[in-house]
Amino acid sequence: MESKKCAVFQMQIVYLLILLFMFSLSLAVTDEEQNDMQTYIVWVEKPVAQGSSAQSHEDLESWYHTFLPESTIATSNQLSKPRIVHAYHNVATGFAAKLTPEDVKAMEKKPGFVSAHPEAILPLHTTHSPNFLGLNQGLGFWKGSNYGKGVIIGVLDTGVSPDHPSFSDAGVPPPPAKWKGKCEFNGRVCNNKLIGARNFNGISTGQPAGDPPLDQEGHGTHTSSTAAGNFVKGAALFGMAKGTAVGMAPHAHLAIYRVCSAVGCAEGDILAAMDAAVDDGVDVLSLSLGGFSRPFYSDGVAVGAFGAIQRGIFVSCSVGNSGPSYSTSSNEAPWILTVGASTIDRNIRATARLGNKKKYNGESLFQPNNFNSKIMLPLVDAGSLGNQTSAFCDAGTLKNVRGKIVLCERGGAGGRIDKGAEVKRAGGAAMIFMNQRIDGFSTLADPHLLPTAHGTVVGDKHAPSVASFSSRGPSTASPGILKPDITGPGVSILATWPVSVDNATKSKATFNIISGTSMSCPHLSGIAALLKGSHPDWSPAAIKSAIMTTADVHNLGGKSIVDQTLKAADLFAIGAGHVNPSKANDPGLVYDTQPKNYIQYLCGLNYTDKQIQIITQQTVDCSKIGAIPEAQLNYPSFSIIVGSNKKTKSQLYTRTVKNVGQANSTYKLDILAPNKVDVNVSPEVLKFTKVKQTITYRVKFVAQEGAGKDGVLFGQGYLRWVSDKHNVSSPIVVIFGS
């Protein structure tokens, strides 16, 4: 009997060991699978509704889980981490999930699957500007728009530093009843200004959720306060740019969505934040981020933005910092306001005075009082000290420069500020920072070491001018749409910062001056919020049209806006021009476009029905609804591609304008035709008798003989409708093809 019990016990031990072995083998396989996984964005068709056309969030998530590998479904609560990291309900039909390439191949065979791609990691596109834009406290458009009260701006960025005075709710009413968002900060940090704050950063890349959306980089705090920071008196940095710091819409509400860190912004997290923002009830979305040009159906920002505008949410994005080369723009979808960067009329000037009495003006934030500008110091060219890396003042390359002024070239491995650090490490007394030829005369205010400071200078008649770094068109994804749409202040912008940069104060009112299209984007987001508050019935397309058709094309000196070469900037740099908020509030006419109008345009891009379905979240059949050329979209600008053959040499398009000005008004045509292009418009007079009346006109573009044969790649012009009170201007660019 005892021997029988012993045998049974031995068998149980053997069975247990087998189970443990199988369990460890399963764990090992799971770990191996986890190592081979990456986050994919998966687009699927909507599930067939049972008795209703609308699906609940739970229905959609159940549908999304059916696309996961069966082994994953069975073991997701046991051996492996949950595969789905984001389930989208509003701006897209699909999800972000941890998958292997084999999982995706298996998924492709399932009914309802559309496509999948590995998520992209997008980079960030990293005060006096309200006055420069004509926004003055207690006057004009600012007062008339009620400073943006009641409008909610959602900012997708690196988070926020919530205890800064810029986010005080003084004068800000409670949020509207539609607000459904939440604040993930501990304690009573959020208020009537900062009404929501959520953290999505790192979730799709495997970081733990639940951390508060505290800004560790400064970028998100800066952009948020630029869009809607409250009034803060006594703002300055290194004693420069003194004044009252305030955002574009100082009494608008802010909803913060942390989607970025120092390593970038995951596409899956961005989509999840946009999806949540729709549920939360925002009116404007501001994204100072973006990647390379892609077809819109594979661009998460473009897909999410389309879902947002379908619900009346305005979307503003930066064009990127890859200028001044052509075809470098990002965020090119026509339903997005794409923003380039320009200067304001304030310079943080520093002047280098050489022994031959010549003076060279630059900019620098760091201008110490103890620097004796009357003493002449030796000047040395860092490029003469050895190899090319020393010319760039890269880390560890300088020697024998103690007590000297060092000339460093832009470029190389280090950033602009890093070069100054290398000069200081090597004992240099100061630095002169020389642009590359491509950057021309475009300068930025950084905390450099430069001699002979002259401080803050206001009233630069060359402003605004286009920054060299601002990305240029033509659009790669859609050359028939002119991008960027607009430019706004993006050079040496003072705004809120989480910590003190100059160590000059223990106050929470800390600021920094930085540059980038990241800075210009929130300017336009705030202005869009003001327009939304002033005209709550305007669609996102109408707001965009008002901004574009009223833009300035001349600088403060009354001459054409210039670029980094100090020559007139072309339309691929400035788009419609530089934003003029007060004029945008009363545009006279608008080019309105509803979300459904984009479908024929997408068919004209030769996208498949499935690809268009990713963007629109609806079944599309281009063979039935038809396609239109890109330039036929009712857009506030014209981008025409002409060739030498008869079909493309002459092109006819229509535009429809809506009267949002006086009921009885007459507009007459004013044309500046591009070189070697005939532009014929019919009718030449538009007569309106009531508000919201629409009139359609036709435009025929005919390339003259020899157009484009002289080496000129494109021509530029304007089409304007002029009344006694309004000037409704649309830029024209004609690209000469073969």
Side-chain angles (χ1 to χ4, degrees):
M1 189 69 178
E2 290 295 329
S3 61
K4 187 175 182 181
K5 287 182 179 180
C6 183
V8 171
F9 181 69
Q10 289 175 338
M11 289 180 63
Q12 289 175 332
I13 291 176
V14 171
Y15 181 65
L16 180 61
L17 290 172
I18 292 173
L19 285 177
L20 287 171
F21 173 75
M22 294 298 293
F23 183 74
S24 63
L25 181 62
S26 178
L27 280 175
V29 172
T30 302
D31 287 340
E32 185 177 344
E33 288 180 350
Q34 291 283 342
N35 292 334
D36 197 28
M37 287 180 186
Q38 60 179 313
T39 302
Y40 281 80
I41 307 296
V42 182
W43 306 124
V44 300
E45 296 177 358
K46 286 188 175 180
V48 178
Q50 300 294 325
S52 172
S53 59
Q55 288 91 22
S56 67
H57 288 189
E58 292 76 16
D59 291 337
L60 282 173
E61 292 189 25
S62 296
W63 169 243
Y64 296 159
H65 273 89
T66 66
F67 290 91
L68 298 180
E70 293 181 5
S71 59
T72 302
I73 300 173
T75 63
S76 62
N77 293 324
Q78 301 168 25
L79 301 178
S80 63
K81 297 178 181 179
R83 293 288 192 97
I84 292 182
V85 292
H86 293 302
Y88 308 126
H89 312 108
N90 299 305
V91 300
T93 304
F95 55 93
K98 294 288 187 182
L99 300 167
T100 65
E102 290 72 25
D103 293 335
V104 175
K105 287 183 180 179
M107 196 180 289
E108 292 172 354
K109 302 174 183 178
K110 297 192 175 185
F113 175 86
V114 176
S115 70
H117 66 270
E119 74 168 354
I121 305 298
L122 309 182
L124 292 162
H125 289 155
T126 195
T127 183
H128 175 74
S129 51
N131 298 104
F132 177 63
L133 294 173
L135 298 175
N136 298 289
Q137 193 167 0
L139 300 172
F141 178 36
W142 237 0
K143 183 178 179 182
S145 65
N146 219 9
Y147 302 95
K149 286 182 179 178
V151 181
I152 304 169
I153 304 174
V155 180
L156 278 66
D157 213 295
T158 61
V160 70
S161 181
D163 57 352
H164 195 282
S166 289
F167 305 117
S168 161
D169 62 359
V172 184
K178 68 171 185 173
W179 173 247
K180 301 294 189 296
K182 58 184 178 180
C183 180
E184 293 180 355
F185 283 116
N186 298 324
R188 300 179 62 183
V189 173
C190 289
N191 53 27
N192 288 336
K193 160 60 71 176
L194 187 61
I195 60 174
R198 303 179 65 176
N199 187 14
F200 293 87
N201 175 240
I203 296 176
S204 67
T205 53
Q207 299 300 314
D211 291 337
L214 190 65
D215 187 6
Q216 304 291 338
E217 314 304 325
H219 192 276
T221 299
H222 198 281
T223 58
S224 300
S225 66
T226 300
N230 214 330
F231 296 91
V232 181
K233 294 181 179 180
L237 182 65
F238 291 104
M240 304 294 171
K242 294 178 181 178
T244 297
V246 60
M248 294 294 100
H251 289 169
H253 309 288
L254 279 169
I256 306 301
Y257 302 88
R258 185 172 188 254
V259 298
C260 305
S261 66
V263 298
C265 321
E267 185 181 12
D269 296 343
I270 295 168
L271 269 167
M274 297 176 85
D275 206 63
V278 171
D279 271 339
D280 291 347
V282 305
D283 299 297
V284 175
L285 282 173
S286 184
L287 292 83
S288 292
L289 52 86
F292 54 88
S293 177
R294 289 183 290 169
F296 302 141
Y297 57 81
S298 64
D299 182 343
V301 173
V303 172
F306 192 88
I309 65 114
Q310 283 181 306
R311 291 158 176 82
I313 300 170
F314 185 90
V315 183
S316 171
C317 295
S318 47
V319 71
N321 298 338
S322 299
S325 300
Y326 288 118
S327 296
T328 52
S329 55
S330 59
N331 299 317
E332 299 169 324
W335 48 88
I336 293 172
L337 182 73
T338 310
V339 187
S342 51
T343 64
I344 58 176
D345 65 334
R346 179 188 66 208
N347 299 123
I348 315 298
R349 184 170 295 174
T351 301
R353 180 169 57 91
L354 303 186
N356 59 5
K357 307 298 184 182
K358 289 187 177 181
K359 296 180 180 181
Y360 295 89
N361 290 328
E363 293 189 71
S364 177
L365 292 177
F366 182 51
Q367 303 185 8
N369 294 326
N370 60 356
F371 187 88
N372 190 340
S373 60
K374 295 181 179 180
I375 298 177
M376 302 301 291
L377 297 175
L379 173 65
V380 60
D381 179 359
S384 66
L385 300 176
N387 52 37
Q388 184 61 41
T389 57
S390 62
F392 294 132
C393 298
D394 286 344
T397 61
L398 297 183
K399 55 184 179 180
N400 300 324
V401 299
R402 183 169 298 278
K404 299 177 182 179
I405 299 173
V406 183
L407 176 67
C408 298
E409 296 180 24
R410 191 168 183 170
R416 299 187 303 271
I417 298 174
D418 296 333
K419 298 175 188 299
E422 171 61 12
V423 172
K424 187 175 182 179
R425 179 203 65 78
M431 178 181 75
I432 298 177
F433 184 46
M434 184 174 69
N435 272 350
Q436 293 179 323
R437 184 177 296 274
I438 195 172
D439 295 305
F441 295 91
S442 186
T443 60
L444 311 173
D446 287 320
H448 290 310
L449 299 175
L450 288 174
T452 318
H454 284 300
T456 304
V457 179
V458 176
D460 180 5
K461 296 299 182 182
H462 288 103
S465 62
V466 181
S468 65
F469 59 75
S470 187
S471 292
R472 268 60 165 178
S475 167
T476 302
S478 182
I481 299 295
L482 177 61
K483 291 289 179 173
D485 294 307
I486 197 76
T487 66
V491 178
S492 303
I493 302 301
L494 183 140
T496 303
W497 202 250
V499 296
S500 175
V501 176
D502 53 10
N503 296 317
T505 177
K506 295 181 180 179
S507 167
K508 292 182 179 179
T510 49
F511 298 91
N512 197 7
I513 293 179
I514 56 177
S515 302
T517 54
S518 280
M519 284 63 255
S520 54
C521 171
H523 276 90
L524 271 296
S525 304
I527 291 167
L530 295 176
L531 293 171
K532 184 74 174 177
S534 187
H535 304 279
D537 59 330
W538 281 7
S539 69
I543 294 174
K544 173 194 271 195
S545 174
I547 290 171
M548 292 176 63
T549 61
T550 59
D552 292 330
V553 294
H554 296 102
N555 59 27
L556 294 180
K559 298 181 179 180
S560 295
I561 293 174
V562 300
D563 60 15
Q564 73 284 349
T565 67
L566 298 185
K567 297 179 180 178
D570 61 49
L571 296 179
F572 293 129
I574 65 171
H578 190 268
V579 62
N580 186 318
S582 297
K583 287 185 178 179
N585 189 46
D586 182 21
L589 306 175
V590 294
Y591 295 82
D592 206 357
T593 305
Q594 300 303 316
K596 63 181 181 181
N597 301 136
Y598 293 108
I599 297 178
Q600 287 182 303
Y601 157 81
L602 293 169
C603 291
L605 290 177
N606 294 320
Y607 290 175
T608 67
D609 294 345
K610 291 284 189 183
Q611 290 167 342
I612 297 173
Q613 183 179 347
I614 292 171
I615 301 168
T616 64
Q617 299 187 74
Q618 56 187 275
T619 302
V620 172
D621 188 342
C622 287
S623 65
K624 292 182 179 179
I625 65 173
I628 62 171
E630 298 165 73
Q632 177 56 34
L633 188 67
N634 199 44
Y635 211 68
S637 60
F638 294 88
S639 180
I640 312 298
I641 304 173
V642 300
S644 56
N645 62 70
K646 187 176 181 180
K647 184 177 180 181
T648 60
K649 189 175 182 179
S650 176
Q651 299 178 36
L652 179 66
Y653 301 102
T654 62
R655 288 290 191 274
T656 300
V657 288
K658 179 192 291 185
N659 181 24
V660 294
Q662 291 180 317
N664 293 295
S665 52
T666 299
Y667 290 81
K668 295 181 180 180
L669 177 68
D670 178 31
I671 280 283
L672 175 61
N675 187 39
K676 293 193 176 182
V677 177
D678 295 326
V679 182
N680 302 304
V681 181
S682 177
E684 294 185 356
V685 178
L686 306 178
K687 292 186 177 181
F688 295 90
T689 58
K690 57 185 179 181
V691 178
K692 296 187 178 180
Q693 179 184 351
T694 60
I695 295 179
T696 299
Y697 66 90
R698 297 180 301 279
V699 189
K700 188 175 184 179
F701 299 93
V702 182
Q704 298 173 3
E705 201 64 39
K709 302 296 184 182
D710 54 0
V712 178
L713 300 178
F714 58 89
Q716 303 175 102
Y718 288 91
L719 184 157
R720 296 184 175 98
W721 293 106
V722 183
S723 73
D724 57 349
K725 291 189 174 181
H726 300 99
N727 187 327
V728 185
S729 184
S730 293
I732 301 170
V733 62
V734 177
I735 303 171
F736 301 120
S738 56

